[in-house]
Amino acid sequence: METHRRGADGRRIFTAQFKQEQIARVAREELTLAELARELSVSPSVVRRWHRLSTHGSSAAVGADEDVVPASELRAAQQRIKELERALGKKAMEIEILQAARDEVKKRPRYYGVSKR
């Protein structure tokens, strides 16, 4: 059996390629989901989730005629959008304040020709 990285909590971390290879073995009917789970010493629900994500992800991509983006990338993009919207809001407020200050300065009378000696 291959060696796998371990997370901070001690759980094994399987690569996406490894998961796909294992699910392909089930698809070729080399073994069942239950047998694969026993072989890898993981819960059968883990293997079923890999299988479901594999089939649903590919069918979603075909149905949408687009690539499927991992949920982590989507969350990161949504977080970046929030940060940019927040920055945009700050800049819009700064512009409003500066415009109000400019309007106040324009209202003040100007004194020309007065010099200090």
Side-chain angles (χ1 to χ4, degrees), residues 98-114:
L98 290 172
Q99 287 174 339
R102 181 195 62 203
D103 293 343
E104 286 299 316
V105 169
K106 283 185 178 182
K107 290 179 185 177
R108 294 182 183 165
R110 296 185 184 176
Y111 299 102
Y112 295 104
V114 178

Side-chain angles (χ1 to χ4, degrees), residues 11 13 16 26 30 35 51 59 61 64 68 80 85 96 100 110:
R11 292 186 299 170
I13 300 174
V26 173
E30 291 177 17
E35 292 169 338
H51 186 261
S59 63
V68 176
R80 181 71 177 140
E85 287 174 340
E96 289 177 20
R110 296 185 184 176

Side-chain angles (χ1 to χ4, degrees), residues 13-85:
I13 300 174
F14 298 104
T15 64
Q17 180 182 358
F18 178 80
K19 293 174 187 178
Q20 290 171 345
E21 290 169 359
Q22 299 309 309
I23 294 301
R25 290 174 62 199
V26 173
R28 290 189 303 263
E29 298 182 358
E30 291 177 17
L31 65 169
T32 66
L33 285 173
E35 292 169 338
L36 178 61
R38 278 192 299 274
E39 180 181 308
L40 297 176
S41 301
V42 297
S43 171
S45 64
V46 170
V47 178
R48 280 193 298 273
R49 186 175 66 240
W50 293 354
H51 186 261
R52 180 178 38 83
L53 290 172
S54 173
T55 57
H56 283 85
S58 59
S59 63
V62 170
D65 197 26
E66 297 177 351
D67 290 335
V68 176
V69 179
S72 58
E73 284 184 33
L74 177 61
R75 281 191 299 274
Q78 289 172 334
Q79 181 62 33
R80 181 71 177 140
I81 289 169
K82 284 181 184 179
E83 291 170 6
L84 292 172
E85 287 174 340

